[in-house]
């Protein structure tokens, strides 16, 4: 089942610019990423929202769980393209398309081993946040495609290793959540901002 199929079953009219399979979809979230996204109900709205996405006027803030805090808040401006050896992945490639993300520490556990980090998107490449996190040596919890399982493999402190393994069992996906989405309403011109609660699986790890 897809979001488009669910919306159609609920009787929503969707824009046709993306074709039948992507009807109404202005931007997408990776499979396994939770959070807020915008869907267009008609072609006029879809065009206006897509322009905001292209011009960087649409604001998107994500939250992620990693095993180490950032040394400092940073902006990653590195091009992304298809991984040369693995077609399922993207990677930082010099000949790729421009990609820019900003990362900031939010909360670190007392042992600094579980960390909540915010990410702001300036561009919208596939897997962008996950690729940029891996590029700076901070793969997301449970992101097996981009090295998140190495958090367990590289751990020698047995008590901590068991704790992380338990965390992974709580979350059957990579730990990335689309927290805030802001844009200008395509009809009224009003600035709008939507905030999605952190899901229970990521809350459980933070609470522990």
């Amino acid at each position: 089942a897809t979001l488009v199929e669910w919306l159609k079953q609920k009787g929503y009219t969707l824009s046709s610019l993306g074709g039948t399979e992507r009807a109404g979809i202005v931007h997408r979230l990776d499979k396994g990423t939770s959070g807020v996204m915008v869907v267009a109900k008609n072609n006029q709205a879809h065009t206006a929202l897509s322009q905001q996405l292209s011009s960087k006027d649409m604001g998107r803030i994500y939250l992620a769980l990693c095993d180490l805090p950032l040394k400092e808040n940073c902006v990653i401006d590195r091009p992304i393209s298809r991984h040369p050896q693995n077609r399922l992945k993207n990677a930082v490639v010099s000949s790729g398309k421009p990609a820019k993300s900003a990362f900031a520490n939010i909360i670190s556990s007392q042992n600094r081993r579980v960390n909540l980090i915010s990410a702001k998107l300036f561009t919208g490449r596939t897997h962008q946040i996950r690729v940029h996190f891996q590029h700076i040596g901070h793969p997301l919890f449970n992101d097996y495609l981009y090295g998140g399982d190495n958090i367990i493999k590289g751990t020698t402190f047995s008590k901590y290793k068991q704790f992380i393994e338990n965390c992974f069992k709580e979350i059957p996906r990579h730990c990335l959540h689309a927290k805030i989405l802001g844009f200008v309403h395509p009809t009224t011109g009003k600035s709008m901002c939507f905030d999605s609660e952190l899901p229970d699986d990521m809350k459980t790890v933070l609470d522990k």
Side-chain angles (χ1 to χ4, degrees):
T2 66
L3 176 62
V4 172
E5 291 170 348
W6 185 87
L7 290 168
K8 287 181 176 178
Q9 288 174 4
K10 294 294 182 180
Y12 286 99
T13 300
L14 302 173
S15 72
S16 61
L17 297 184
T20 56
E21 291 186 1
R22 290 176 55 88
I25 302 300
V26 178
H27 66 103
R28 60 186 295 276
L29 296 178
D30 294 344
K31 182 179 180 180
T33 298
S34 57
V36 63
M37 61 186 293
V38 60
V39 177
K41 296 172 70 178
N42 58 60
N43 290 354
Q44 180 183 358
H46 197 142
T47 299
L49 291 167
S50 294
Q51 289 174 348
Q52 292 181 49
L53 191 65
S54 298
S55 65
K56 319 298 188 294
D57 291 331
M58 185 177 289
R60 291 174 290 166
I61 303 292
Y62 290 72
L63 294 179
L65 287 178
C66 299
D67 72 322
L68 293 170
L70 302 171
K71 293 181 179 179
E72 58 183 3
N73 297 341
C74 60
V75 174
I76 308 298
D77 193 352
R78 294 289 186 273
I80 289 176
S81 185
R82 187 72 67 185
H83 194 286
Q85 281 85 42
N86 187 340
R87 303 298 294 175
L88 297 177
K89 299 172 61 174
N90 281 351
V92 170
V93 178
S94 59
S95 60
K97 295 180 180 179
K100 185 178 179 181
S101 314
F103 298 145
N105 288 312
I106 302 295
I107 299 172
S108 290
S109 60
Q110 288 185 343
N111 61 10
R112 295 171 65 83
R113 284 297 195 173
V114 178
N115 299 275
L116 185 68
I117 297 175
S118 69
K120 175 179 173 61
L121 280 179
F122 296 95
T123 53
R125 307 302 171 207
T126 300
H127 298 176
Q128 177 175 319
I129 290 174
R130 298 162 66 191
V131 171
H132 278 170
F133 265 123
Q134 183 192 42
H135 181 68
I136 61 174
H138 290 268
L140 306 184
F141 274 153
N142 251 21
D143 193 351
Y144 286 83
L145 187 60
Y146 288 99
D149 55 330
N150 290 332
I151 295 170
I152 289 180
K153 293 175 182 176
T155 301
T156 56
F157 182 42
S158 59
K159 186 177 180 181
Y160 167 63
K161 184 173 183 178
Q162 184 61 52
F163 167 72
I164 293 299
E165 287 177 343
N166 290 337
C167 288
F168 276 24
K169 292 175 184 177
E170 298 282 354
I171 304 182
R173 62 185 182 91
H174 56 261
C175 297
L176 185 61
H177 177 70
K179 173 68 173 168
I180 295 173
L181 177 68
F183 56 88
V184 175
H185 193 285
T187 303
T188 67
K190 179 182 177 181
S191 294
M192 310 190 77
C193 186
F194 298 89
D195 187 332
S196 174
E197 284 289 325
L198 198 67
D200 290 341
D201 52 7
M202 290 178 67
K203 279 184 179 178
T204 297
V205 174
L206 287 175
D207 289 343
K208 286 184 177 180

